[in-house]
Amino acid sequence: MRDADDPALFRRVFTRSVALLSRRWGLHRLAEVEDAVQAALMTAVERWPRDGRPENPAAWVATVAHRRLVDAHRRQAAVVPNDVEPPLQPLSSGVLGREIGDEVLRMMFVCCDPAIPIESQLVFTLKVLSGFSVGEVAAHLFVSTDNVYKRLSRARDVLKSRRGLLDLGPEQYPRRLDAVVLVIYLVFTEGHLASAGDEAIRVELCREALRLGGLLAEHPVGRQPKVAALMALMHLHASRLGSRFDGVGELVTLEEQDRSRWDRSHRAAGLRWLAMSAEGGTLSRYHAEAGIAAAHAMAPTFAETDWERIAACYALLERVAPSPWHRLNRALAVAELRGPEEGLALLADLTPAPQVTGSGAWAAALADLHRRAEHPASFVAYRRAALDRAPTDAVRRLLERRFDA
Amino acid sequence: MPTYLCLQRSLPADPPSEKPSPDEMQAMYAKFGAWMETYADQLVDTGGKLGEGRLVRAEGQVDGPFVEVKELVGGYMIVSAETLEAAIAVAEACPGLVRPGSGVEVIAIDKPG
């Protein structure tokens, strides 16, 4: 995609400039660097329409931001001597050419510091690596801006305390890879939730996850089967993003989706990545999830879905990442294969936590199983709970449609 | 056609506005480009932001700024229009110029003849 058409151009430029400059100026000056880059982007807003857009927008912005930081430090140094010598030399074109891509990747690993809690890693990634503002991050994650500020400052405090360690030792990269993969996966799953919020925002998150995953996958440190599996599952899920709503904007079930609207290039990319992930001795949860997504993507119709394979993948998922949700999904797959009674039987010995059984999604799944098994009392009870707890009107309407058919 | 000087004024008494995010700035960039195209015939001089300078007086030059000039006048441009109202319309349409914390003074340039 040409730069000119990239709706996320400024965010990408922001991320690249911040990554490059925080390497030069130090992580403890990250907030200053972000401010300087933001100001440089404002200058770009005014200058580029007049002077034409530069060949290398990130280099232009980084240079302007760097100069701003140099000026600020010169003024400050006159009053307060700096304890650490900031880099007052101009940026060389060599630096700007090659290093920017590497710098963004380095930043990804830096922010997945084990001392930073996962929620803070996620927020930090969205702010610094995806270039969203605090308000935008809050909207994307359905939390308050206060919450975002808190999580961000947690991350920043840890990074400040790491002052002096500008370089990650080479042994840190493989150690942190799992965390980086997890954060990208979390960005994607936030984006993929169909149940609430503005669809456009959500699609943006999925795109970001694909972009960050792509950067990782292209780099030697990211050439691992689990990274390929993550890329596979993201592309395969993304291929279906456009078809979850019908022509009048109502949510539709998987069964009802118009498969001709599934995106072919995402599907093809997903299957290529899936092939690449079939290496090495261990299967990650991403492999299992990619397998499930692939089974759906490859079924020309709902009726031809390979539920056996899906059930097997959920069984695997249960083993590597135990969760009642995986058992539930396996039960639903088994129900497709051998009827709702068999599905319900799988759930019999399960005692999930109240926040699981009390959720709308759990109630909806059980309502559907009991409806198909013709257990009227259970169906009515779960149906009521599902409708009461539906997260949005769109979901409630979908459920009503399905239950009252 | 008469010409008008438009001075961007920073308005510190206004509550401070949030700094725009990269996405918001990209939207402004697109709008700014569109604005420049729409009013291309009337934009005599799109000007720019004001930077450092000196005060030159009979007694000699004084290194400024005594007053932080760019906080009073951030930038300028020159617009041609039939009337003051028409010039104001062009200035108001400029994205980001009139918003909390920033306004624009539109001043007729009196020409002889």
Side-chain angles (χ1 to χ4, degrees), chain A residues 381-397:
Chain A
Y382 279 114
R383 177 185 173 283
R384 183 76 264 147
L387 291 178
D388 286 346
R389 296 168 200 164
T392 62
D393 285 340
V395 170
R396 188 174 305 111
R397 285 196 296 274

Side-chain angles (χ1 to χ4, degrees), chain A residues 18 44 48 56 86 139 152 161 182 222 227 233 295 328 338 347 369-370 405:
Chain A
V18 166
W48 293 356
N56 187 338
L152 263 182
S161 74
L182 179 60
V227 176
L233 85 87
L328 177 64
R338 296 191 276 279
L347 299 173
L369 283 171
H370 283 293

Side-chain angles (χ1 to χ4, degrees), chain A residues 6-7 9-11 35 38 41-42 45-46 49-50 131 133 136 204, chain B residues 19-26 28-29 32-33 36 46-49:
Chain A
D6 182 0
L9 172 66
F10 272 49
R11 280 198 285 107
D35 283 347
Q38 195 269 352
L41 275 172
M42 273 307 285
V45 170
E46 311 207 346
R50 291 185 177 116
S133 67
E136 286 162 355
E204 218 170 36
Chain B
K19 284 195 215 151
S21 70
D23 272 344
E24 286 163 349
M25 287 191 277
Q26 184 160 350
M28 284 167 67
Y29 168 61
F32 195 72
M36 280 183 71
T46 49
K49 288 198 123 82

Side-chain angles (χ1 to χ4, degrees), chain A residues 118 177-186 188-190 225-234 236-237 274 277 281-294 310 312-327 329:
Chain A
I118 187 75
L177 181 65
D178 281 357
V180 172
V181 171
L182 179 60
V183 167
I184 296 173
Y185 173 77
L186 289 177
F188 189 83
T189 51
E190 287 293 339
K226 67 167 90 84
V227 176
L230 175 66
M231 291 303 293
L233 85 87
M234 292 197 293
L236 290 167
H237 279 303
L274 189 68
S277 74
T282 48
L283 282 177
S284 66
R285 66 169 299 155
Y286 309 110
H287 284 93
E289 295 197 34
I292 293 158
I310 291 176
C313 284
Y314 275 117
L316 170 63
L317 200 49
E318 261 192 279
R319 277 208 307 284
V320 300
S323 156
W325 293 106
H326 298 151
R327 175 74 69 88
N329 280 310

